[in-house]
Amino acid sequence: MDEAQIRKIAKLARLEVAEEDLPRLAGDLRRILGYVERLQQADLSELPSPGAPPETGAKREDEVRPSFTPEEATANAPAAEDGAFLVPRVIG
Amino acid sequence: MRAPLPAPTLAELSTALEEGRHSAAGLKQAALDRIAALDGELNAVIRTTPERAAAAAAASDARRERGERLGPLDGVPVLVKGLIGMAGVETDGASKILAGYRPPYDATAVARLEAAGAVIVGQTNLDELGMGSATVFSAHGACANPWDPERTPGGSSGGSAAAVAAGYAPLALGTDTGGSIRQPAALCGVAGLKPSYGRVSRRGLFAFASSLDQIGPMAPRVADLVPLFRSIAGGDPLDATCRELPVPEAADCAPSELAGLTIGLPAAARGEGVDSEVIARLDAAVAFFEGTGARVREVELPHAELGVACYYVLAPAEASSNLSRYDGVRFGRRAQGVTSLGELYARSRSEGFGPEVQRRILLGTFVLSSGYYEAYYGTAQRVRGLIARDFEAAFAQVDLILTPTSPTPAWRRDEKQDDPLAMYLADVFTIPASLAGLPALSLPAGFTAAGLPVGLQLVAPAFQEARLLSVGSAFEDAHDFAGLAPVGEEA
């Protein structure tokens, strides 16, 4: 785990990491991942790969039900207009 | 050390309400007054909810005047961790990214509490979005332990633990992903239950790690957890991971005969890194159980020592996925002056998330990334299976498992803050039950020589919360450990 790797992960995670924070973060993650290495000690030979989580059987009819109005759905938006979310222009 | 104050039990409060010696409005006001008087020092409460509390209290008092009563919670003040959504009430998870966010609906747990007549008086402080073990990573500032304000209350539900320990309200809800109810309960000398995964609906709980998160009750006494647990438990058509199982009857949670019970003790409970005074309280509990005719025997959990490593792959992985919803578009904080959508995402998230949350997002993104997924995430998932299997084998031989809740009593607030790994290891005893989805209870078990509370943890097979609560209540009835911290005018 080096600083170049932190930059790459930060990009994937959509986070901006300041240059001055890179050494500390790389150090933290190195120590945590170093600790996590002990998982390799486990004998996984007789354990099947993890499957899907158990089904609770919770299902419901596929039918239209009341939901939020556009106004309610956009009430917490940082920018909204006429029940739609406003975002910066992405197409030039 | 100052002696703990007796706290009115929930039963005493309920009786006083029933007999008209208290009104719900009066209890609500007393709770708000106590918070106003004491929280400048503790910072256990993010915000009070006086309007909503007044309406709930008035409705409760009107019911009582008509001779109606919804149950033991009717008219009783309750605090709710600030990670559990309340419709129309700002709920920010102690994160700048959610400043001003008002959920459009109530969490199921909140709706059920209010349906049982409880009066929600405020939201408690926490580590941002539930990520931490000391209630120090909060946009609202750190929380103090009412037994010693220089020390941490634990976390992430430190606000709920500190608030009930300080007598703000007799009950609080917390949430637990890897120990966030149990560890602060232990450090603050109160009781806290992490229900089995799937026992309590997660609808309306801000997600941290979806395969681990559970809402649960906290109170000064184990017995007081029972009505709060029963009110929030049970299936929910709006949470597919919540199981449609009968909720345990109150009678099944009442103190029970301990003779004939078999309690398992893993070797690690007295192992390296466990404080000698914590071991002393554990030994005293073992002697008590043996004295009542219960059998205490060693039990093997060979993979539990991998719990912390397993958890710190899986929980950040799930968090990195869950927290991708915070994009600055639909709700929450949006960075200003950006020129592209990519910049909008990255700047909003970097400005809004605190350092620990960002650390975990990066960790989770890494263990899920191409080339590392199988080595980290895949392996951790399989180890999780081994840990669950260890518990299954252990519960074929014992009824309950006993460990310390935390290896140490509350530490000083300036310790561990810059050492994430040291902070993560504080959850070494609570994490295994979380990974296995099992119910676990932390109960007050006495004090250190310096007067700091010590908690012990009992773990039961899945959906056997009644067994935990009845054994925990029997332990409690035989001791004098429950009480409020000496804070405020009485100190």
Side-chain angles (χ1 to χ4, degrees):
Chain A
M1 178 60 63
D2 55 24
E3 292 177 23
Q5 244 175 327
I6 297 270
R7 279 194 200 92
K8 186 179 154 207
I9 298 164
K11 192 164 183 281
L12 288 172
R14 298 291 184 270
L15 286 171
E16 281 181 355
V17 177
E19 282 294 316
E20 63 266 27
D21 293 339
L22 282 171
R24 185 186 47 81
L25 265 174
D28 284 349
L29 293 195
R30 256 199 309 274
R31 284 191 59 229
I32 296 164
L33 292 168
Y35 178 81
V36 162
E37 283 301 318
R38 64 190 54 208
L39 291 176
Q40 309 301 334
Q41 306 163 5
D43 175 8
L44 302 172
S45 56
E46 26 158 351
L47 203 75
S49 294
E55 282 272 335
T56 58
K59 294 191 173 64
R60 62 166 188 261
E61 289 305 308
D62 181 15
E63 57 194 12
V64 177
R65 298 183 308 164
S67 185
F68 297 123
T69 63
E71 284 63 37
E72 287 167 332
T74 55
N76 280 293
E81 205 173 281
D82 301 334
F85 299 106
L86 289 179
V87 293
R89 181 183 296 275
V90 283
I91 301 166
Chain B
M1 172 191 165
R2 293 171 296 195
L5 298 163
T9 65
L10 185 60
E12 285 163 354
L13 277 179
S14 277
T15 307
L17 278 164
E18 226 158 319
E19 293 172 352
R21 286 182 287 116
H22 279 313
S23 67
L27 288 182
K28 178 266 301 177
Q29 200 49 50
L32 293 172
D33 290 349
R34 193 164 170 86
I35 293 167
L38 298 178
D39 210 46
E41 183 179 35
L42 293 182
N43 198 27
V45 171
I46 290 175
R47 63 181 60 83
T48 54
T49 51
E51 296 86 4
R52 191 152 163 161
S60 175
D61 285 334
R63 273 192 299 275
R64 208 179 49 256
E65 276 165 31
R66 294 195 302 267
E68 295 168 25
R69 189 156 167 76
L70 295 173
L73 299 184
D74 200 346
V76 174
V78 178
L79 285 155
V80 172
K81 184 177 182 176
L83 195 64
I84 303 170
M86 294 172 68
V89 176
E90 184 177 354
T91 313
D92 63 17
S95 180
K96 282 195 302 194
I97 208 153
L98 278 174
Y101 177 71
R102 292 175 190 271
Y105 60 91
D106 277 329
T108 297
V110 164
R112 285 184 181 170
L113 264 187
E114 290 188 330
V119 177
I120 298 174
V121 292
Q123 297 174 336
T124 57
N125 201 357
L126 64 148
D127 284 297
E128 182 180 4
L129 300 172
M131 299 186 202
S133 305
T135 314
V136 62
F137 302 120
S138 165
H140 302 283
C143 175
N145 187 315
W147 294 91
D148 178 354
E150 297 295 307
R151 293 178 185 270
T152 175
S156 65
S157 310
S160 289
V164 292
Y168 290 3
L171 301 169
L173 287 185
T175 71
D176 190 310
T177 305
S180 283
I181 285 174
R182 293 160 284 159
Q183 182 256 17
L187 269 44
C188 290
V190 301
L193 173 73
K194 180 199 87 76
S196 312
Y197 185 77
R199 176 63 97 176
V200 178
S201 171
R202 292 184 296 112
R203 176 174 161 83
L205 165 63
F206 300 174
F208 159 16
S210 306
S211 76
L212 296 151
D213 297 342
Q214 271 291 281
I215 297 172
M218 304 175 80
R221 290 177 186 73
V222 178
D224 294 353
L225 300 175
V226 176
L228 185 53
F229 166 64
R230 294 185 67 248
S231 74
I232 58 173
D236 178 6
L238 299 169
D239 172 5
T241 61
C242 187
R243 303 284 298 276
E244 277 290 351
L245 293 167
V247 174
E249 295 296 332
D252 296 329
C253 303
S256 58
E257 189 60 48
L258 299 175
L261 194 74
T262 306
I263 295 173
L265 194 67
R270 296 194 182 96
E272 196 190 336
V274 186
D275 185 281
S276 62
E277 289 193 282
V278 172
I279 294 176
R281 298 317 313 154
L282 179 74
D283 290 341
V286 168
F288 163 78
F289 282 121
E290 287 178 329
T292 60
R295 184 161 164 249
V296 181
R297 51 165 292 190
E298 185 150 319
V299 73
E300 299 255 334
L301 294 170
H303 299 93
E305 65 180 10
L306 298 176
V308 174
C310 182
Y311 178 88
Y312 279 100
V313 173
L314 299 181
E318 293 186 27
S320 72
S321 170
N322 275 325
L323 270 49
S324 64
R325 73 191 58 179
Y326 299 100
D327 55 6
V329 173
R330 291 151 303 142
F331 53 85
R333 185 189 180 95
R334 173 179 292 191
Q336 296 306 306
V338 295
T339 54
S340 74
L341 199 57
E343 198 187 359
L344 173 83
Y345 295 152
R347 284 259 317 274
S348 300
R349 290 162 63 79
S350 302
E351 289 172 5
F353 291 135
E356 176 63 18
V357 170
Q358 293 200 37
R359 197 158 34 220
R360 293 198 198 193
I361 290 173
L362 291 170
L363 186 59
T365 303
F366 174 74
V367 302
L368 291 174
S369 65
S370 171
Y372 297 100
Y373 175 95
E374 198 44 50
Y376 287 99
Y377 186 79
T379 302
Q381 279 288 38
R382 289 189 184 82
V383 170
R384 183 181 194 169
L386 290 174
I387 291 169
R389 218 165 56 172
D390 287 349
F391 275 112
E392 262 173 60
F395 284 127
Q397 303 167 319
V398 301
D399 301 307
L400 291 169
I401 291 170
L402 175 70
T403 71
T405 305
S406 162
T408 66
W411 57 89
R412 298 185 67 83
R413 281 160 63 181
D414 50 358
E415 286 174 37
K416 301 191 194 191
Q417 224 173 308
D418 301 324
D419 186 352
L421 195 53
M423 194 79 93
Y424 296 172
L425 289 166
D427 294 335
V428 62
F429 288 120
T430 49
I431 278 174
S434 296
L435 290 167
L438 303 177
L441 171 74
S442 180
L443 69 167
F447 297 85
T448 65
L452 296 172
V454 174
L456 293 178
Q457 175 181 243
L458 287 168
V459 184
F463 300 104
Q464 299 295 322
E465 287 88 354
R467 189 183 301 172
L468 289 176
L469 293 163
S470 67
V471 171
S473 298
F475 178 88
E476 175 172 272
D477 285 353
H479 296 86
D480 188 19
F481 297 142
L484 295 189
V487 285
E489 308 138 297
E490 305 91 341

